Amino acid sequence: MTPKKEDYLKIIFELGGKRKKISNKQVAFSLNVAAGSVTEMIKKLVEGDLVEHEPYAGISLTPKGAKVAEDLVRRHRLWESFLVDKLGYKLQDVHTDAEVLEHITSSELMDHLEDFLGHPKRCPHGGIIPTKDGEYEEDTHQVLASLQDGKQAVVDRFIDNHDLLEYLSDVKLNIGDQIKILEHTPFEGPVKIFVKNTNEEMDIGYKAAHYIFVK
């Protein structure tokens, strides 16, 4: 399997594609690729019985695709945890090297790495890390943008996208922050929130608000 196919399976999993239908648009944004590229790759994944695609409904992982994705996600997120926690990488800069390492690491080394890290349950951007047996708690798939004005929540995880993580580093929104939705501004304007941890108001861009998961 090519690294590109693996990237698609990982992001479909991260967006909730094991449980629900994911749109081509969501995949395109998360991977920073053109919509046409997504359409072409999804056809290949369907041919490999890795995903199912229903026109106008979306994409979801098959049981075969979910198993492959879980293993890939475990590898990638364990390396992210090591690079951030042990080598001091910035969160927004860790993806590329983790991507290289996950493809060249034996299963035995992954098991030793997991032991060394103390069997972490989540990676630095909040995503779950499946065990080698494929066990894990299901992620939340409720996004900040879906919360109504006045609702409160806790920031749970971010999509593993460099531009998004760079943006969130700049605005200083962090996993675990307690927030309250103040206002959805019109015409796809920012979502205004209040962060209880810092006692500050903050504007979150419309697109970014669709890739910040809360609970």
Side-chain angles (χ1 to χ4, degrees), residues 34-209:
S37 298
V38 175
T39 300
E40 184 178 343
M41 179 57 75
I42 294 304
K43 289 180 181 178
K44 294 178 181 179
L45 295 175
V46 169
E47 291 171 359
D49 190 31
L50 296 167
V51 304
E52 296 177 346
H53 180 237
E54 296 181 27
Y56 308 107
I59 310 153
S60 60
L61 294 167
T62 63
K64 176 182 176 182
K67 186 174 181 180
V68 173
E70 287 164 358
D71 180 63
L72 292 169
V73 164
R74 173 177 178 259
R75 289 170 170 269
H76 187 82
R77 292 178 177 173
L78 283 173
W79 277 120
E80 285 187 327
S81 298
F82 175 78
L83 293 171
V84 171
D85 297 342
K86 303 302 180 181
L87 298 187
Y89 272 60
K90 291 182 179 179
L91 180 57
Q92 61 268 33
D93 297 332
V94 74
H95 178 83
T96 301
D97 284 346
E99 188 84 4
V100 173
L101 290 164
E102 75 179 78
H103 291 127
I104 60 173
T105 308
S106 69
S107 296
E108 183 178 4
L109 178 53
M110 291 310 309
D111 291 345
H112 283 291
L113 179 63
E114 187 174 14
D115 289 341
F116 174 73
L117 293 171
H119 300 270
K121 301 296 184 184
R122 291 186 175 270
C123 72
H125 59 83
I128 55 91
I129 301 177
T131 67
K132 65 179 180 181
D133 298 320
E135 298 177 354
Y136 56 91
E137 294 181 6
E138 187 68 22
D139 268 331
T140 175
H141 295 113
Q142 183 178 27
V143 297
L144 188 153
S146 70
L147 295 178
Q148 296 179 351
D149 293 353
K151 291 292 185 180
Q152 301 185 49
V154 176
V155 177
D156 191 56
R157 65 184 179 95
F158 307 132
I159 283 291
D160 189 6
N161 173 283
H162 177 270
D163 291 342
L164 175 68
L165 296 174
E166 192 79 55
Y167 168 78
L168 293 172
S169 176
D170 289 341
V171 301
K172 295 180 170 50
L173 184 68
N174 300 300
I175 292 168
D177 281 352
Q178 298 179 38
I179 63 171
K180 180 178 180 179
I181 305 300
L182 300 178
E183 180 188 6
H184 289 72
T185 56
F187 300 106
E188 298 188 355
V191 180
K192 295 182 179 294
I193 67 172
F194 175 75
V195 183
K196 292 185 176 181
N197 308 59
T198 58
N199 201 36
E200 294 178 348
E201 293 187 10
M202 183 184 298
D203 287 351
I204 300 296
Y206 177 82
K207 183 179 287 188

